[in-house]
């Protein structure tokens, strides 16, 4: 049966390696998609994306989605019931009063704000990670960068695209909580912390106050503007897309990850594992302590959430698989990465539970959780008989999530955080049953994935847009998502005792090798 495209809902997410759009029908099923591959650049020591590439990518992604709709249903879309924009959280996008970008976009991946993060954490008595927007702003102030006096607007990637589409400078609660401390009672940035920051920089005589340059904050389900004529032209260069489509608050990829897995209630959590990884554990109470390894953020509805973030997850696994592909081609064979990845992932399950003494560090960039300032991928092994392909691949998968494990252990041991279930999504879980079992063994918690998890954040963003236009009177986001996921098809892997014991042996070797990993940071 052909869907009513005008009742369909669009979610678009700007991820670290792909911009992806997903269109869902009235039953929340994906019916069309489009994407655009891109990657960040390291320029003058800063990880960045050109804003021209951002707009080009958003347009190309939408064009691919519209092409998919036309191929499947014989027509190109003209309007949707609602839409929403998501993107990589944190980072630093600043503009002057004329709307001109003041410095190149500084992404979440940068670890250049250590002094600012440490000073703000001490002043606020609240952990401010290096990735957060406020850490980037304060570091620019400490560095006496000339552009700071001209800042009129500080936002995130999703906030920027939303502004271009609607003319409204707002972000969702989840996105806001990764910029600056969020106050659940007021539903806004913490006024006490804003006042403390302004006092901290008062001697600089800036012509702005912090709250004046931060975006407005909106909870899930709140109207966040409509697509303007300029916004429609930005998305769809054919001119067919009509203005007036309502947009929900733009969100960060952490929030859409929670929504995409339905993990939005206390004692639930989600794990996103791809280029980077993060675990989000929805808390029963606020944390008692302040930990530099843990972000305190919020669900799109405002519930307190502990975030353990790692800058790199599968990048080193990908690099090794591609190296194997080169060897395969050297032997005169055609290397199909679509076949190589699942074959090598499955081979990992044949490895010894402790990887036979092999250890892998996947650090393409610094990792605050383990106190490493610079990325240096490293592989180490013990002499002996353990150097097999199965053990090597298992060590690669263990290494991809080892830092995440160390961060979660801190929450369990120091704050006694309990989690009944974790739901995973992202490339780490793509090969059926492999990443899910490895993660369950590592964390000692059942790990579930859903058939829709392959759509990830864009689908989660589409659900938030659907909540905007379809929610009932007084219906909470949690209640709405409970209906969505009541019939969800999921698979679960439970910890295997031998696998868990093997991972514990591996992580002991991993921690013992950390001094060597840190020493490599001095290598040019």
């Amino acid at each position: 049966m052909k869907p009513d495209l005008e009742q369909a809902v669009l979610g678009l997410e700007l991820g670290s390696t792909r911009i992806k759009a997903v269109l869902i029908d009235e039953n929340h099923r994906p019916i069309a998609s489009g994407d655009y591959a891109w990657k960040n650049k390291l320029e003058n020591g800063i990880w960045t994306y050109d804003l021209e590439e951002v707009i080009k990518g958003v347009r190309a992604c939408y064009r691919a989605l519209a092409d998919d709709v036309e191929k499947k249903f014989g027509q190109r879309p003209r309007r949707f019931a609602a839409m929403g924009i998501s993107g990589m959280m944190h980072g630093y996008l600043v503009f002057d009063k004329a709307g001109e970008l003041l410095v190149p976009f500084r992404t979440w991946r940068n670890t250049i704000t250590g002094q600012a993060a440490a000073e703000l954490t001490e002043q606020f008595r609240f952990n401010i990670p290096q990735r957060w927007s406020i850490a980037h702003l304060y570091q620019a102030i400490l560095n006496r960068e000339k552009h700071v006096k001209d800042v009129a607007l500080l936002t995130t990637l999703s906030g920027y695209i939303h502004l271009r589409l609607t003319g409204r400078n707002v972000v969702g609660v989840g996105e806001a909580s990764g910029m600056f401390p969020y106050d659940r009672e007021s539903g806004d940035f913490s006024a006490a912390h804003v006042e403390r920051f302004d006092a901290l920089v008062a001697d600089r005589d800036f012509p702005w106050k912090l709250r004046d340059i931060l975006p407005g904050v909106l909870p899930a389900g709140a109207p966040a503007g409509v697509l303007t004529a300029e916004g429609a032209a930005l998305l769809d260069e054919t001119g067919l897309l009509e203005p007036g489509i309502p947009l929900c608050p733009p969100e960060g990829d952490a929030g859409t990850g929670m929504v995409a897995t339905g993990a939005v209630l206390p004692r639930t959590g989600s794990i996103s594992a791809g280029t980077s990884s993060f675990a989000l554990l929805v808390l029963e109470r606020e944390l008692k302590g302040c930990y530099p390894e843990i972000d305190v953020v919020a669900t799109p509805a405002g519930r307190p959430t502990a975030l353990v973030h790692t800058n790199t997850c599968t990048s080193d696994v990908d690099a090794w698989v591609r190296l194997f592909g080169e060897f395969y081609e050297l032997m005169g064979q055609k290397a199909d990465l679509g076949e190589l990845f699942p074959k090598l992932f499955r081979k990992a399950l044949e490895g010894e539970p402790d990887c036979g003494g092999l250890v892998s560090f996947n650090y393409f960039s610094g990792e605050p959780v383990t106190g490493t300032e610079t990325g240096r991928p490293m592989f180490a092994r013990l002499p002996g008989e353990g150097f097999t392909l199965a053990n090597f691949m298992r060590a690669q998968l263990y290494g991809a999530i080892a830092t995440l494990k160390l961060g979660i252990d801190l929450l369990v041991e120091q704050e006694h955080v309990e989690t009944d279930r974790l739901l995973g999504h992202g490339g780490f879980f793509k090969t059926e049953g492999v990443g899910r079992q490895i993660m369950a063994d590592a964390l000692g918690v059942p790990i579930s994935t859903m058939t829709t998890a392959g759509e990830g954040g864009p689908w989660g963003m589409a659900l938030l847009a659907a909540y905007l236009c379809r929610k009932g009177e007084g219906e909470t986001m949690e209640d709405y998502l409970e209906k969505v996921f009541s019939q969800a098809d999921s698979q679960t892997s439970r910890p295997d005792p031998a696998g868990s014991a093997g991972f514990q042996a591996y992580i002991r070797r991993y921690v013992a090798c950390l001094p060597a990993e840190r020493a490599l940071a001095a290598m040019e």
Side-chain angles (χ1 to χ4, degrees):
M1 181 178 177
K2 184 177 177 180
D4 182 349
L5 293 178
E6 292 196 4
Q7 294 304 310
V9 173
L10 176 67
L12 188 148
E13 182 163 282
L14 295 96
S16 56
T17 59
R18 274 197 314 165
I19 302 174
K20 185 173 182 181
V22 170
L23 193 66
I24 64 174
D25 64 14
E26 293 177 83
N27 295 311
H28 308 99
R29 295 174 302 197
I31 57 174
S33 64
D35 68 354
Y36 175 80
W38 68 343
K39 59 182 179 180
N40 53 195
K41 300 181 296 182
L42 186 62
E43 294 185 346
N44 301 316
I46 302 292
W47 289 106
T48 188
Y49 298 83
D50 291 333
L51 286 198
E52 293 80 4
E53 177 79 355
V54 171
I55 300 303
K56 175 186 174 183
V58 168
R59 283 174 171 162
C61 177
Y62 179 81
R63 182 167 60 248
L65 176 124
D67 288 346
D68 193 34
V69 169
E70 185 173 31
K71 179 180 177 181
K72 290 176 175 176
F73 308 115
Q75 64 185 90
R76 297 184 78 79
R78 291 182 176 273
R79 64 177 300 109
F80 308 111
M83 57 187 292
I85 302 296
S86 177
M88 298 170 279
M89 286 180 73
H90 320 297
Y92 187 67
L93 270 168
V94 284
F95 302 85
D96 63 16
K97 290 181 179 179
E100 295 296 320
L101 183 67
L102 291 170
V103 291
F105 175 31
R106 299 172 183 177
T107 78
W108 59 271
R109 195 169 194 175
N110 289 288
T111 51
I112 56 174
T113 63
Q115 180 186 0
E119 288 189 16
L120 289 176
T121 296
E122 182 179 359
Q123 290 288 332
F124 290 177
R125 297 180 183 175
F126 182 96
N127 183 39
I128 302 296
Q130 290 200 48
R131 301 179 308 278
W132 283 29
S133 306
I134 194 61
H136 281 278
L137 175 64
Y138 190 51
Q139 190 67 56
I141 292 171
L142 294 176
N143 294 345
R144 298 189 178 277
E145 296 186 40
K146 293 180 179 180
H147 77 272
V148 176
K149 68 180 185 310
D150 298 319
V151 172
L153 187 154
L154 166 60
T155 190
T156 62
L157 190 55
S158 72
Y160 169 69
I161 296 299
H162 185 90
L163 177 62
R164 291 291 302 271
L165 296 181
T166 67
R168 290 196 64 186
N169 178 29
V170 296
V171 294
V173 167
E175 182 77 299
S177 69
M179 296 181 72
F180 190 85
Y182 169 75
D183 177 20
R184 189 179 181 188
E185 294 299 318
S186 67
D188 197 357
F189 296 112
S190 166
H193 289 98
V194 167
E195 184 178 340
R196 209 165 297 163
F197 182 88
D198 284 336
L200 193 61
V201 300
D203 62 336
R204 305 298 179 104
D205 293 322
F206 295 127
W208 48 261
K209 295 291 187 182
L210 180 61
R211 191 63 191 89
D212 297 333
I213 64 174
L214 290 172
V217 180
L218 295 174
V226 299
L227 186 67
T228 63
E230 294 80 5
L234 183 150
L235 266 186
D236 185 7
E237 295 174 283
T238 70
L240 287 176
L241 188 63
E242 299 173 2
I245 299 170
L247 273 80
C248 65
E251 267 298 348
D253 51 3
T256 58
M258 286 187 271
V259 171
T261 53
V264 292
L265 288 171
R267 298 179 69 92
T268 67
S270 65
I271 294 178
S272 173
T275 305
S276 63
S277 71
F278 51 83
L280 290 145
L281 308 182
V282 185
L283 303 172
E284 297 178 276
R285 55 169 175 77
E286 299 283 354
L287 297 183
K288 295 178 181 178
C290 173
Y291 308 94
E293 303 88 350
I294 307 297
D295 297 25
V296 178
V297 293
T299 72
R303 291 184 184 272
T305 303
L307 166 63
V308 181
H309 183 279
T310 69
N311 287 334
T312 314
C313 181
T314 58
S315 294
D316 204 32
V317 181
D318 295 351
W320 281 106
V321 172
R322 293 178 194 282
L323 183 69
F324 290 140
E326 283 188 43
F327 173 76
Y328 204 56
E329 290 181 348
L330 182 66
M331 298 301 292
Q333 304 295 321
K334 183 179 180 181
D336 183 344
L337 292 178
E339 291 185 8
L340 270 180
F341 271 99
K343 282 183 180 295
L344 289 169
F345 267 57
R346 293 189 190 101
K347 190 67 177 177
L349 291 184
E350 300 175 19
E352 298 172 62
D354 70 345
C355 305
L358 280 59
V359 177
S360 176
F361 284 83
N362 65 334
Y363 291 3
F364 270 52
S365 58
E367 291 292 355
V369 170
T370 52
T372 52
E373 295 184 1
T374 306
R376 295 288 185 266
M378 181 180 78
F379 172 72
R381 68 185 181 97
L382 295 172
E385 310 240 338
F387 193 36
T388 65
L389 179 61
N391 281 344
F392 179 83
M393 286 307 303
R394 195 176 188 104
Q396 291 301 316
L397 298 187
Y398 277 14
I401 61 174
T403 308
L404 189 73
K405 160 72 172 175
L406 293 174
I408 291 175
D409 281 353
L410 187 152
L411 282 171
V412 173
E413 294 166 9
Q414 299 296 322
E415 293 282 344
H416 308 293
V417 171
E418 296 184 357
T419 304
D420 296 328
R421 63 187 178 102
L422 288 169
L423 295 104
H425 65 104
F428 187 83
F429 300 103
K430 189 172 183 179
T431 301
E432 171 57 31
V434 179
R436 196 171 61 230
Q437 186 62 56
I438 294 290
M439 191 73 78
D441 291 347
L443 302 184
V445 177
I447 306 292
S448 299
T449 56
M450 299 181 181
T451 55
T452 49
E455 302 295 346
W459 186 66
M461 194 66 238
L463 292 183
L464 287 172
Y467 174 58
L468 167 70
C469 66
R470 296 174 184 165
K471 66 179 183 295
E473 183 70 29
E475 186 175 27
T476 66
M477 182 193 76
E478 293 88 349
D479 290 340
Y480 186 85
L481 292 177
E482 185 176 359
K483 293 190 302 185
V484 172
F485 286 97
S486 62
Q487 302 299 320
D489 182 19
S490 65
Q491 299 80 37
T492 299
S493 294
R494 301 186 181 281
D496 172 69
S500 293
F503 192 91
Q504 289 300 324
Y506 175 90
I507 206 72
R508 286 194 292 271
R509 294 193 190 102
Y510 187 93
V511 171
C513 288
L514 271 171
E517 171 62 30
R518 296 186 186 114
L520 280 176
M523 184 181 75
E524 294 295 333

